[in-house]
Structures are given as C-alpha cells and as structure tokens.
Amino acid sequence: MSPPATIRERAPAKINLSLHVIGRRGDGYHLLDSLVAFADVGDSLQIFPADRLSLSISGPFAEGLRGQEADNLVMRAARWFAGEANGRIHLTKSLPVAAGLGGGSADAAATIRGLARHLNHPLPMPEATLGLGADVPVCLRPAPARILGVGDSMQAVHCLPPLPVTLVNPSVPMPTARVFEAGPRIRANGGPGPLPSGTMTVDDAVRWLSRLANDLEPVAMRLEPSILEVADALRSAGAGLARMTGSGATCFGIFRSRAAARAAASMIRTSRPNWWVRPTILNTAE
C-alpha cells in the first residue's frame, strides 16, 4: 500500500504536574521522580513526499529556531529513526521555546511517529529513544505517566481525571541546563510515594498534587522572578493549584472547569498582554 501523500502529527505540550529531584549520578545527571500529563495544545508536524530529507519551520515561535533547521532535534530524530529516508518535514512551532513544555522532545517524538506511518515501520520501544533526550520516551506515546531516573523508567498513571488548566509563560526563555547548573535541592525522602488508586475528581487531584512539588521551581524563580509573578497571577485568577512545569518559565493553574480556565486566561491576557496564555485541558485518557 502506498503511503498517504501527507502525514500529520500533533506534538502536545508536556506538563510536569510534579517534579521531585531525588538524586544525582556520578556523571552529573540528576535523578527525577515526575508526574507528567499532556495538554491539548502544542506544535504540529507534517511530512510530505520528497526526494531528500529536509525541515522547514513556521509558526509564532519559529524565529527561536531559525538557522537551526539542519541540526534541529526533529532532524536528529528523523535520521536516528529512518536514516536518510526521503521526506520534507514541516514543523509549525506554536509553543514557546525553552519554556518547560517539552516542546523539542514532543517534536522529535512526533517526527518518529509520523515517519513510522510514512514508511509503514513499527514504532521503537520508548526507552530506545532516550539518546535523543530524556523526555522523548514519554512523549513518544503521550499519556499520563510517572517518569523515574533520567527518563529511562516510566509507569502509566490512571488516577487523574481530565484537568482544566491555563498555561502561562512570561515570554522569558529558561534553558534547562541553566536551572540544573544552579543546583536544585536533592530531597532525602524521594518522590510522591504510591499513586492513589481509582480515579480522582479535580478537587481530589488538586489536594493530592498540592502535597507534591516541583523542586526546580525555587531555583528557577530565583533566576527569573517573573515566574513567581505568573504563579501569583494564576492564583489570583482562581487556580486551585498553580505550579511551574519542567524547568520553567511556564506555569500551569488547575481550575474546576474549562469555563473557569478560559475566564482566567482572559483575565491574565488583559493585564499581561505580552505573556503567552493558553487555556486547555490535560487529556489524561490513554
């Protein structure tokens, strides 16, 4: 069967609902215990038949990747998965760059999924993609998960309901390496412990997640105080929980309903027109 003329793949934003730093290896890599879910917003990718492998980029945040097309993570993922297989890849970059949303990893994972369909190849095992980046394995099959270690161990998470959230970025890039180099605290008591059984309500989830943390948040807020302003704006808009995702600078606020998340987004956009603001839902269904 001939492959379809155009392959389309979504690259949903990855949200760290919690992120505990539980150790550090001898090679300097930090060991994490993190709960992850995926949003209904993100980048998108198209693959067209072509006589060579290439990448073009457009979208509101394309400028942040301009000039990097040849060695973009999308191209590295394409070469890793398919060698020099032909295809023109077009990435629509809708997520801020260096924002704690796993955008590059999600784009790489979407590339692999798209090329697997384009070439009628099976998807690799998630752990095989670890060399492309610690978040690529979980992004390969975007569903709620608990990530352990350096991204090399995952377990499915079934207890979370769909969560209405508003994502806010203060339009400030926050490179991951900068945050880890600043020395996040390594906790002695590990991660969140056993996951709850059954499916929680939104209020249950807020209460449970409030007992957890993002251990990178204090460091990132010290480096970039506007992150604290974002979290405070989400709380003022009615979020039951406001927390930074990943290494920042994006924060998420959990609301009781989609309508409340949209109202909060409108309020924050009005007061902070230069911030990136998106109401969405964390699609926790596998």
Side-chain angles (χ1 to χ4, degrees):
M1 179 182 295
S2 299
T6 303
I7 298 291
R8 292 178 172 82
E9 280 288 339
R10 295 175 63 250
K14 174 191 66 70
I15 307 301
N16 297 88
L17 294 169
S18 67
L19 193 161
H20 291 189
V21 181
I22 59 172
R24 189 171 186 178
R25 299 194 317 195
D27 59 7
Y29 281 95
H30 287 81
L31 303 175
L32 307 180
D33 189 337
S34 180
L35 296 172
V36 166
F38 290 84
D40 279 352
V41 297
D43 297 335
S44 59
L45 190 131
Q46 293 173 283
I47 302 175
F48 305 92
D51 58 5
R52 66 185 182 89
L53 186 64
S54 65
L55 171 66
S56 58
I57 307 174
S58 67
F61 293 98
E63 195 59 37
L65 302 176
R66 199 71 70 197
Q68 304 175 31
E69 288 85 351
D71 194 42
N72 184 281
L73 188 52
V74 165
M75 288 294 279
R76 280 184 269 158
R79 294 190 186 104
W80 174 85
F81 180 68
E84 292 300 325
N86 297 330
R88 180 170 68 86
I89 303 172
H90 183 78
L91 171 66
T92 302
K93 191 65 185 171
S94 300
L95 295 176
V97 177
L101 296 169
S105 296
D107 296 342
T111 299
I112 294 169
R113 291 195 305 273
L115 285 172
R117 293 168 57 204
H118 181 63
L119 301 171
N120 197 26
H121 287 177
L123 278 177
M125 296 297 291
E127 57 267 25
T129 68
L130 189 60
L132 293 168
D135 284 335
V136 176
V138 74
C139 291
L140 190 63
R141 296 182 175 94
R146 182 178 185 177
I147 308 173
L148 301 166
V150 293
D152 53 337
S153 178
M154 293 182 294
Q155 66 183 79
V157 172
H158 303 287
C159 59
L160 293 169
L163 295 173
V165 302
T166 292
L167 305 176
V168 182
N169 182 280
S171 300
V172 176
M174 180 58 67
T176 299
R178 184 184 177 204
V179 177
F180 277 105
E181 286 168 1
R185 178 179 67 89
I186 297 174
R187 58 173 64 223
N189 61 345
L195 301 179
S197 59
T199 301
M200 295 183 284
T201 66
V202 172
D203 286 344
D204 290 338
V206 166
R207 282 191 290 270
W208 177 58
L209 292 170
S210 294
R211 297 198 294 269
L212 310 180
N214 181 341
D215 291 341
L216 302 183
E217 191 175 76
V219 176
M221 286 181 174
R222 187 169 67 246
L223 295 171
E224 181 48 63
S226 63
I227 299 172
L228 177 58
E229 294 179 40
V230 169
D232 285 344
L234 284 163
R235 294 186 189 101
S236 295
L241 171 68
R243 177 172 291 159
M244 190 182 81
T245 176
S247 56
T250 305
C251 295
F252 65 90
I254 302 178
F255 294 85
R256 282 188 166 180
S257 68
R258 295 189 188 198
R262 289 193 293 266
S266 178
M267 181 187 306
I268 294 170
R269 281 195 194 106
T270 299
S271 62
R272 295 287 191 164
N274 294 327
W275 286 1
W276 179 84
V277 182
R278 292 292 183 277
T280 184
I281 190 157
L282 298 190
N283 184 6
T284 60
E286 293 185 57

